[in-house]
Amino acid sequence: MRIILLGPPGAGKGTQAKVLAENLRVPVPHVSTGDILRQNVKDSTALGVEAKSFMERGLLVPDELMARMLSERFVKEDVSQGFILDGYPRNLAQAKTLEEIISQRGINIDFVVYLDSSESVIIQRLSGRLVCSKCGANFHIKNLPPKKEGFCDRCGSSLYQRSDDKVETIKKRLEVYKKEVADLIDYYKKQDKLYRLDADGDANVVLNQIIALIK
Ligand code: AMP
C-alpha cells in the first residue's frame, strides 16, 4: 500500500501515519520528511545545517534539497512493500519529483488522503503540542497531557515543544501551505486518487475512516 497523507500542519498526518504504518496487514514504513529533516538538524549534517533556517521560519526547504533527500530515502529496501508518506509533496513540483523517483522503482501512488482541518483547530493543536525526544510520540498540554509531566508515556523520555510550533511560525506555515495546496489537490483529483476527510474531530474517528478507505 502506497499512501500519501496530505493536509495542513496540525491536521494529524504524523499521528495517523504512525498508527497506520504499524497496523496495516503488511506493516510499511512511515516516511515523514519533517522527521528526517529534524534528525538531520539534530545531527548537524550538511542537509540539516542548510534546512534549519527555513524550518525555523516556517518556510519550505528548497525543492532540490528535498528531492535529493527523498531519492536517498527511496533507495532503501523497506519501502518496497509500500509506505505512508507524510509531509511530501508540498507543491506541484515535488509531486512530479515524487512520481519520477518512485516510477524508477516501477511503482505508483495508490491513493492520497487529504486530512482537512480548520485554522483555529490547527493553532490550538500545534501551540500545545509536545513531542517525545526519543520515540516521536505526540502529546498535548490540554487535550492529551502525559501521565508524568514532561515525560513520554510510551518510552519515558523527555518531551519538548518543536521550535516551529510557536503561534507566529504556525501562521507562517499555514500561509505557505495554503499557497501551494490547491495545485496539489487538483493534481491528485485529476488522477482520481484523492479522498478528503474532515480531520477536526477525534483522531480515532479519523483513523477508522482511513482504515475504511484502505479496505
Ligand atoms: P512537518 O514536520 O511536516 O510539519 O515539517 C516541518 C518543516 O520541515 C516544514 O515547515 C518545512 O520547513 C520542512 N519540510 C518538511 N517537509 C518538507 C517538504 N516536503 N518540502 C519542503 N520543506 C519541508
Side-chain angles (χ1 to χ4, degrees), residues 31-129:
V31 179
S32 155
T33 49
D35 284 352
I36 300 174
L37 286 169
R38 278 183 288 279
Q39 190 61 48
N40 274 274
V41 171
K42 202 170 161 189
D43 297 343
S44 297
T45 65
L47 169 65
V49 170
E50 250 189 283
K52 192 173 179 213
S53 71
F54 294 98
M55 296 170 77
E56 280 176 350
R57 285 178 289 156
L59 302 176
L60 292 185
V61 173
D63 288 349
E64 312 80 66
L65 280 184
M66 295 306 298
R68 227 180 306 144
M69 189 184 105
L70 203 73
S71 301
E72 283 168 17
R73 181 62 186 86
F74 273 84
V75 291
K76 293 195 180 156
E77 199 35 50
D78 63 344
V79 293
S80 62
Q81 296 293 324
F83 50 82
I84 298 179
L85 188 52
D86 147 25
Y88 197 100
R90 292 283 234 269
N91 58 32
L92 194 55
Q94 292 189 1
K96 292 182 178 167
T97 301
L98 172 66
E99 225 163 78
E100 273 170 36
I101 292 173
I102 62 172
S103 66
Q104 283 163 6
R105 296 188 65 126
I107 54 178
N108 215 329
I109 296 297
D110 292 316
F111 62 93
V112 180
V113 182
Y114 168 35
L115 297 177
D116 200 5
S117 212
S118 61
E119 193 156 327
S120 56
V121 169
I122 289 168
I123 292 176
Q124 193 269 345
R125 275 184 190 158
L126 293 186
S127 57
R129 173 161 72 175

Side-chain angles (χ1 to χ4, degrees), residues 116-117 121 125 198-206:
D116 200 5
S117 212
V121 169
R125 275 184 190 158
D198 183 347
D200 265 356
D202 185 77
N204 283 323
V205 174
V206 179

